[in-house]
Every structure is written in C-alpha cells, then in structure tokens.
C-alpha cells in the first residue's frame, strides 16, 4: 500500500482520533430523537471537510446523508454504509465514564458509538482525508451512505433503497465495519442469513381468571404451545411448515472448503455463553454447517399469565411468543412468510394472531468478485491472511442495497467482538481504529488500480 | 328458628354492623405485618366480650386465636374457621373510599376484609352474642379458629393442624363464609378439588444470547415446550403422566343428580370472562362433570427471553412455567407429585428444575352427615331451598382440619360473588351480613337439638 498515505495516517493519529471522539461526543439516539439534528449537521460538516458535497436524502424518518467524491480512476466506486445514530446509554450507572466524554484510557477510547458505528464513518473520512492531503485526490470514487435509524431497525432503509436506487451503484460496499482482534487476523464477512421476525398472540378471554376454571375454559398458553409445536418439533429441531426447506441451496464444495478454515471458537463460545455443548452434540464441520447453512425457528421470547415471584393460581387470558426465523441462501423472506400464513390457516390456527415485525432476505457476496478480491489482497498485505467467512449466522440489511444490482458487500474492519457494543463501556482501541483507516485507504487504492 | 333470637338480631342490627366495621377498621396485613398485633388484641377482646376465654395458639408465624364456648347441649360442637388477616389494599387509588373507613353507603359496607373474611368472624360473634343475650347460653358448643395468614397461603396452618390436633374435634366446620346473592337461594359447598402447584425452570445458558446462535445453541423455551407437551397433550387436553388418572373416583349417580341441580351460570360466566365457549364445546351436565370431577394441568404463567414491546433477536438463557394441577376425589397430592417426579426422570427431563410451591388434597364432606343436614335444614327454613354443591372447582385448606378425623365442612354464608374480594371497593350488603348472622345462629340451634 502507498507508503506516503500510510505515513500520513500514522503521523496524524491524534487528529484522526479527535475526529471519532468528536463524532461520539455528539449524542444521537434514534429511539428518542436526542441530538439527531445536531448529529446530522456534524456529519454534513465532516463530509464537507474532506471535500464532499453531502446531500440529505429525505425518508419518512431521519434522512440518509449521501455524499459522492470522484476518484482519480472514476470507473470504480467504493460504497460506504454507516449510521450516525447510536444505541441508548442505559443502564448509564454501569458506565465507568460519561458515555459521551469519549475518554481515552490506556490507548482505548470509551464512548457510546465508538465501535458501533461512528468509527465506521470516521475511518472512512480519515482514509479520504489522508489521500486528499497527500495527493489532493482519492484513488477511486467513494459514496457515503450514512443513515440515522440503524439502531431502531432501519425502518426507512427499504424506502431509501427504493427511492434513491440510482445512487446505489458501486463496485462493492463496506458495511459498517468488521472484526479484527488486536494482533489477530483480519476477517471478511461476505454473506449472512435472512430474517423473518414475527409475533404470535393468542387471546382467549378478556382477562386472567381464577385457575379453578381451567377444566372448562381454554388456556391460551396451552393453545400457544400447541401452535408452536406445529411450527417446529422441539424434539427433532425440525421445522414443520410445508415447503419451508424447499428452496434452500445447500452449501457447495467451495462453501465447505471455506468452512474448514473457519475460526469459530467452539470452546470459547461455550464458556462465554455458559453452555455445556451444542445442539445434538455437534462439533467441527457439522456444527459450522448447521450454524451457517441451516435455518432456525427461534423463540426470542414468550409470556403468559403470572410471572412474578411465588405462586398465583391464574388461568391466563392471553399468551404470546416472539419468533425469529433465520433464513439461508435460497430462501426468500416473503415466501417463508406466506408459507407460515398458509400453515396457520391450513392447520386451523386462525385464532392465533400473527404480527410481522420485519423480514429480510439472506445475502451472499460472490467471493471472486473484483471488489472482494481487492478487499482480500489489501487486508492480506496489511495484516496477514484474512479469515474469510462466506456466511455468518446473523442478518444485515445488505440485500436492500445490493440484491437488485448484485453488488457485493463485505464486512471488514478492526473492531473487537468484545467491544461492548449495545452495552455499557463500549470501547475501541486507538490502534484498531488506525488499522481500520488503513484498511479503507488500502481498498480505495486497490479499487483505483482496477481497469 | 328461635323467634326471640331472630328478633334480637334484627333489633341489634346497628350494634352488629358496628362490630364488623370495627374489625375492618383495624388494618391487618399478613404480607407486611401491618396491624397484626393490634388485630390479634381486637380478636381476643371481641371473643371475651361474648364470654369466651380465647387462647393464642403459637405457630412459626402469626398465632391462631382459638376459643371454645360450651353450649347447653354439650355433645355437639360447631367449628368456625376464619382469618383475621386481609388482602393488601393496593391499588389504593382505585378505591372510592378509605378501605379502612368501613363506610356505609346505600346499605352497603365498603371495607377491606368486610367480605373476606372479617364478616365471618363478626357474624359468628354476633350469633353467639344474640343467644347469650336472650338465653344466657348457646345451644351447642362452638370452637373459634381464627388464623392470621390466610391471605399469604396459610403457610403455618399445617403446623397448627398437626400441633393442635386435639382442638379440632367437632361436628362440622363453617369454613369462612359462603355465597347467597341478595334475594337469591343460599348455597352450600361441601367439597373442593386438591391442588399441586409447581414451577418448572429450564436454564441452558448463563445469559440471553444473540439469536444468531439459535441454529447450534439449545433454546430453553423450546425445551420447556417439549417438556410441557410431555405433561399434557394440548390438542386432546389429556394429561400424559403415567398413573395420573388411576385413583380418580368417578362421580356417583348421586353426584350426577347433584350436578343436575347445579346453578352454574354458563352464559353469565362466558360473558364475565369474555370467552366464546367452553373447552370442547361442552355444555350442561358434561360441562359440569368436567368442571367439578376432572383434574387439570393448567399453565398459570410462563416466561422466557424478551417480552417487551417490538422485537429483539434474542436466544433466551432461561425459561420457566408455573403450573397448577387441580386434583379430584381419589387423587392424593403427594402421590401426584411423586408421579410427576417419576415422569420427569423416566422421560429424560432431569434438566428441568422442579420447584414445589404447595399442595393440598381434594376434600369432600358427606352430604348425609348430621352437620350438613343441620346446615341444610336451617338454610332451607330461613331462606328457601339451598343449592348444594358437592364439589367446587377451587381448593381450600379444609382437609388440614377435617381429613384425619373425617369431619364435614361446609361453606355457607351470605356474601356475593361480586363482592370484590381481593380487589378495590370490597363490600358487603348490610342485609346479607344480618342474614349470615341468622344462618350461624340457626345452625347452632339445629346442632343443639341433635341427640
């Protein structure tokens, strides 16, 4: 990678750290609206400072800040997706410092948003800045997309993707950031599961009644259980919705090869979660295949009747459960939703109310696309052989930006999985932050070198 | 019934109403201890005022106040079970008046405890008082048992029944009170279901995790559901524990005849609970048979994971459910508990933690016992043909006092099912209160006339 740019980044560490601190010192909670207008101004002025002419793309909610900067090679474009909103700071009493002070202690910055994901915007701004300062130009075009509602589920991102579709063209996206443990190998994530999040509500009476009625009055908790066991057999873990598995594209030989290099820490994760083992006693390759390539019907929560201390003899009037289906390549969220509705109707569960919270298709970026190759070679050069994950078990809104135009997207960056995102004492090592600036700058350079 | 005593009761209505008001004006919450010592003093002084020499029977908790008064016919004894503690008054803001003011409006007394169950103690005191005042003696022996922890589940009543067993001998108990709607027929309840209240806890991890782990990490909610469906088939409503139904004594022809006169208000109860109909579309006799003579496995409450608004993609670390089994004649709570434990072990559910909250056997009083006959004829004479319920679907601690010595017990009295017991604006009509005094006095008289 360009030595002058690398040196410039190193020489201006303090200035760049100040930028992310400044972004973090501005509260910006989408859930309450706190600080959002001020944050938008800050994003706009920060983009202007690196030579962009940002545009506010209005949506029914907070606007998406968009900015395009043309590069020396203007045939290739690096897309940046980040968000300017952050999680709430509660429980505030568990923070060691003011979450908006962005205090630095022992080379670590502590602030709400410093790892999720104001670092993402900051590192991209710094990478652009470094090239601008050294060469007065950047190697390839870049497009910033900075949304303001990620932490409340990006409710207006579908609207944005539809109404500003023309803006989305690019060689590939960096989605927020990614993981590289301090001293560890960089990671590249190229795909993720889809999601269908629903809630089931069974209401049998207008109130909870005395449980002496239980012999003759229907119990909604039992009815919910009857319904849930029609969705999945808890014993076999098999989802029982007709057609649910039909469209799944099983992992290819290449996918399996990729899994064989996966660095999933079986023991570490067991210890972290405090579990004895994995479902079915799976380990190794079989565990990874299930983790990344098998869908789920997971009960996120359920509640009915009396849940306080001790005993109360009550016959509940209502029962509900929240469920997320994680979907794998080949499955389409809308189709699965339809299959679920058909299942409910066909099996006589019309008394179960279905609430659809959100859905998102699964997504995969082609590992052999020029963009992904550029990311790989850059990270390889800077930090050693990357660990490439074709799939992760989580979900992202990447398909909204990428699916229609078949644009690749990659999560990569230098945050830690132990950065306490969404939790008190969110933090990021200064060293990791600087590494991430180098990654972005390096990929810009690599894209600039493409034909 | 004795005309002079009836007249005395009528003539002293105001004085008798003052007595129950005085008892209600003294707070006495077992849950907090508020007013308990003062209440005990008040119970003692009230008993002394009618000629008794009360004794405090110590238990590990609040004492049971016991008093014996010998009757003219000292071969027969009427047992009174009541409690001097009351439910909490919360939500206090929903009361129209101070719950301890015992205000009278339009012939109705409003107070915490006025219907559950300070009326029970008061009407018995008044019945004794009326006889004492008219004749200087009472027709039969009476025994007062006034406990102080009923509203917290009578945790020390088993201790009392065991340690003061000798005191319990009598012809029969009036258990607290009973129901007679204003202008309606008196009711007599002679039996009730037993209860086994348990809680199941499934803990699979030390915390809730991100639901992207759901493909490989066990979900305790699903495991709980697997377990619960091993307890009961929600589709058929059949309890699947081996031996669960073995000891049930099915209703006899006499029981069925009794059911045929039952005044269960099918439509009214449907409207009250806001339900469309009863389990299996049952009505009439079949509905009553199931209600009174079939056991239940009822989910009183269950909870797991995220139960707030909206969606959260979480894999719960813990799931739990509270269940009450209502038991019917023939079943024994301790045996059912053992069958449940066996079931869990035999079917591989040792990972499910079982917490036993309480248990109580079912109970039946013989309808042809002299005591029950005396109750029947008294109520018949005073208020017209009683409705006799051989069984109710609820549970009481009656077996503690009655089972060993095969003593009958009957719930009868003149409170309303709409008296808001355990709720704001608990109330009792003055007229009903006076009726209840007459009932007690009448049964005393009838017992006094026995050989």
């Amino acid at each position: 990678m360009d030595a002058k740019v690398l040196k410039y980044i190193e020489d201006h560490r303090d200035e760049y750290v100040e930028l992310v601190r400044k972004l973090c010192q501005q509260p910006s909670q989408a859930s309450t609206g706190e600080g959002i207008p001020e944050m938008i101004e800050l994003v706009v002025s920060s983009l202007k400072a690196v030579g962009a002419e940002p545009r506010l793309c209005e949506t029914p909610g907070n606007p998406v800040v968009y900015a395009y900067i043309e590069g020396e090679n203007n045939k290739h474009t690096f897309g940046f997706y980040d968000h300017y909103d952050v999680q709430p700071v509660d429980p505030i009493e568990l923070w060691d410092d003011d979450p908006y002070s962005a205090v630095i202690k022992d080379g670590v910055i502590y602030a709400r948003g410093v790892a999720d994901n104001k670092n993402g915007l900051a590192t991209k701004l710094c990478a652009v800045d470094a090239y601008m300062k050294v060469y007065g130009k950047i190697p390839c075009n870049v497009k910033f997309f900075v949304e303001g509602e990620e932490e409340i589920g990006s409710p207006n991102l579908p609207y944005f993707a539809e109404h500003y579709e023309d803006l989305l063209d690019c060689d590939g996206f960096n989605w927020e950031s990614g993981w590289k443990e301090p001293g560890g190998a960089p990671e590249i994530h190229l795909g993720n599961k889809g999601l269908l999040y629903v809630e089931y509500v069974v209401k049998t009476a207008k109130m909870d009644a005395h449980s002496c009625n239980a012999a003759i009055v229907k119990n909604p908790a039992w009815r919910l259980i009857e319904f849930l066991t029609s969705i999945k057999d808890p014993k076999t873990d098999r989802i029982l919705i007709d057609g649910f598995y039909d469209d799944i594209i099983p992992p290819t030989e290449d996918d399996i090869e990729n899994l064989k290099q996966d660095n999933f820490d079986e023991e570490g994760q067991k210890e972290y979660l405090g579990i004895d083992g994995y479902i079915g006693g799976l380990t190794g390759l079989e565990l990874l295949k299930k983790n990344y390539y098998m869908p789920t019907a997971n009960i996120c929560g359920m509640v009915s009747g009396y849940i306080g201390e001790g005993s109360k003899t009550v016959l509940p009037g209502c029962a509900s459960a929240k469920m997320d289906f994680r979907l794998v390549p080949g499955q389409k969220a809308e189709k699965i939703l339809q299959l679920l509705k058909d299942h409910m109707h066909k099996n006589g569960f019309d008394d179960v109310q279905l609430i659809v919270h959100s859905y998102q298709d699964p997504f995969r970026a082609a590992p052999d696309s020029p963009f992904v190759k550029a990311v790989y070679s850059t990270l390889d050069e800077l930090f050693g052989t990357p660990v490439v994950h074709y799939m992760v078990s989580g979900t992202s809104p990447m398909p909204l930006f990428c699916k229609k135009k078949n644009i690749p997207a990659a999560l990569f960056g230098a945050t830690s999985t132990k950065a306490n995102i969404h939790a008190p004492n969110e933090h990021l090592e200064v060293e990791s932050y600087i590494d991430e600036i180098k990654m972005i700058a390096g990929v810009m350079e690599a894209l600039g070198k493409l034909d």
Side-chain angles (χ1 to χ4, degrees), chain A:
Chain A
M1 212 198 112
D2 189 284
K4 283 186 192 166
V5 171
L6 276 182
K7 183 168 187 313
Y8 189 91
I9 294 169
E10 284 292 349
D11 289 349
H12 293 77
R13 304 168 67 98
D14 293 350
E15 179 190 333
Y16 289 162
V17 166
E18 277 315 297
L19 175 65
V20 76
R21 290 188 67 215
K22 196 169 140 195
L23 294 176
C24 291
Q25 282 160 353
Q26 173 59 53
S28 54
Q29 284 190 28
S31 53
T32 61
E34 182 198 357
I36 292 292
E38 296 83 352
M39 188 68 212
I40 292 171
E41 269 186 46
L42 184 56
V43 174
V44 165
S45 63
S46 303
L47 282 162
K48 282 182 178 168
V50 299
E53 287 170 19
R55 166 183 169 189
L56 294 193
C57 301
E58 297 302 332
T59 73
N62 296 335
V64 175
V65 186
Y66 168 77
Y68 171 75
I69 306 176
E70 192 163 288
E72 190 178 8
N73 176 348
N74 68 4
K75 288 183 293 181
H76 295 285
T77 307
F78 192 0
F80 303 149
Y81 165 86
D82 294 282
H83 56 93
Y84 57 79
D85 67 313
V86 295
Q87 278 279 315
V89 294
D90 281 329
I92 184 78
E93 66 276 11
L94 296 185
W95 285 79
D96 293 334
D97 301 281
D98 176 354
Y100 296 119
S101 67
V103 65
I104 301 177
K105 296 193 290 193
D106 292 331
V108 179
I109 315 165
Y110 291 86
R112 171 53 84 227
V114 73
D116 181 20
N117 136 276
K118 286 178 174 173
N119 61 313
L121 173 59
T123 53
K124 283 149 194 151
L125 287 166
C126 294
V128 168
D129 180 74
Y131 265 105
M132 286 294 194
K133 292 286 163 58
V134 174
Y135 293 110
K137 59 197 173 190
I138 54 176
C140 68
N141 309 326
V142 299
K143 285 180 174 178
F144 286 86
F145 299 87
V146 198
E147 78 142 317
E149 299 176 322
E150 201 271 345
E151 298 296 3
I152 55 168
S154 301
N156 294 299
L157 209 60
Y159 176 95
F160 174 80
E162 189 184 336
H163 289 78
Y164 298 88
E165 195 184 317
D166 293 347
L167 302 181
L168 298 174
D169 272 320
C170 66
D171 288 56
F173 281 97
N174 175 250
W175 206 269
E176 298 200 33
S177 175
W179 296 274
K180 176 187 172 299
E181 300 302 334
E187 304 202 16
I188 303 173
H189 294 87
L190 298 179
N192 51 256
K193 290 184 177 180
L195 179 79
L196 169 60
Y197 199 110
V198 296
E199 186 165 352
Y200 310 114
V201 181
V202 181
K203 210 166 149 44
T204 49
K206 66 185 175 196
M207 58 182 175
D208 293 354
H210 195 287
S211 74
C212 69
N213 293 288
I216 58 170
V217 175
K218 193 185 277 179
N219 183 315
W222 276 119
R223 177 64 175 163
L224 179 69
I225 286 172
E226 184 183 352
F227 171 67
L228 290 173
T229 53
S230 85
I231 295 289
K232 187 172 103 162
D233 179 347
K235 201 174 304 225
T236 62
D237 205 31
R238 177 96 188 157
I239 295 164
L240 304 171
I241 298 169
D242 280 347
F244 185 85
Y245 293 97
D246 284 1
D247 299 334
I248 292 176
I249 300 166
T252 63
E253 270 182 45
D254 185 35
D255 294 333
I256 301 291
E257 284 309 309
N258 173 259
L259 287 182
K260 287 180 182 165
Q261 328 157 13
D262 200 275
N263 59 349
F264 179 74
D265 180 6
E266 279 184 31
E267 291 307 315
Q269 186 71 355
K270 268 156 65 171
E271 196 180 320
Y272 175 67
L273 295 174
I275 60 174
D276 293 336
Y278 297 100
I279 286 179
L282 292 179
T283 59
L285 188 60
E286 292 309 309
L287 181 70
L288 294 174
K289 273 165 75 175
K290 188 159 197 309
N291 196 27
Y292 298 136
Y293 292 100
M294 282 304 280
T296 65
N298 172 62
I299 296 172
C300 296
M302 64 178 183
V303 64
S304 184
Y306 179 70
I307 60 171
E309 285 293 304
S311 62
K312 190 174 176 186
T313 47
V314 70
L315 172 68
C318 185
S320 63
K322 297 174 199 275
M323 176 175 283
D324 67 345
F325 296 91
R326 298 275 175 177
L327 308 176
V328 295
Q331 291 184 303
K332 299 236 184 311
E334 286 196 358
K335 180 172 174 193
I336 295 295
L337 176 58
Q338 189 56 51
L339 292 178
L340 173 63
K341 287 178 178 171
D342 293 347
H343 171 90
M344 294 175 73
H345 186 61
K346 213 160 49 180
N347 293 284
F349 290 110
D350 290 330
D351 57 325
V352 178
Q353 188 196 348
L354 176 71
I355 300 166
V356 180
H357 283 288
S358 62
Y359 53 89
Q360 189 58 262
D361 285 338
F363 174 79
R364 300 194 69 170
D368 56 357
S369 61
F371 172 74
V372 172
K373 283 181 169 169
V375 171
Y376 187 93
S377 61
T378 303
L379 269 55
D380 188 26
E381 182 192 336
L382 285 169
F383 302 107
T385 312
V387 179
V388 180
H389 301 268
Y390 283 4
M391 284 290 292
V392 293
S393 51
T395 300
S396 87
M398 282 199 269
L400 288 176
F401 276 37
C402 299
K403 206 152 188 186
K404 216 177 220 174
K405 294 165 189 268
N406 199 25
I407 303 170
L411 278 88
F412 64 91
T415 62
S416 164
T417 55
K418 302 179 184 73
N420 287 21
I421 66 167
H422 294 211
N425 301 322
E426 181 175 347
H427 60 272
L428 180 63
E429 302 218 356
V430 167
E431 209 52 51
S432 300
Y433 174 69
I434 300 297
D435 284 350
E436 195 168 295
I437 298 173
K438 293 175 185 170
M439 289 180 181
I440 299 294
V443 174
M444 282 165 60
E445 183 183 312
L447 288 177
K449 285 179 181 161
L450 294 181
D451 288 338

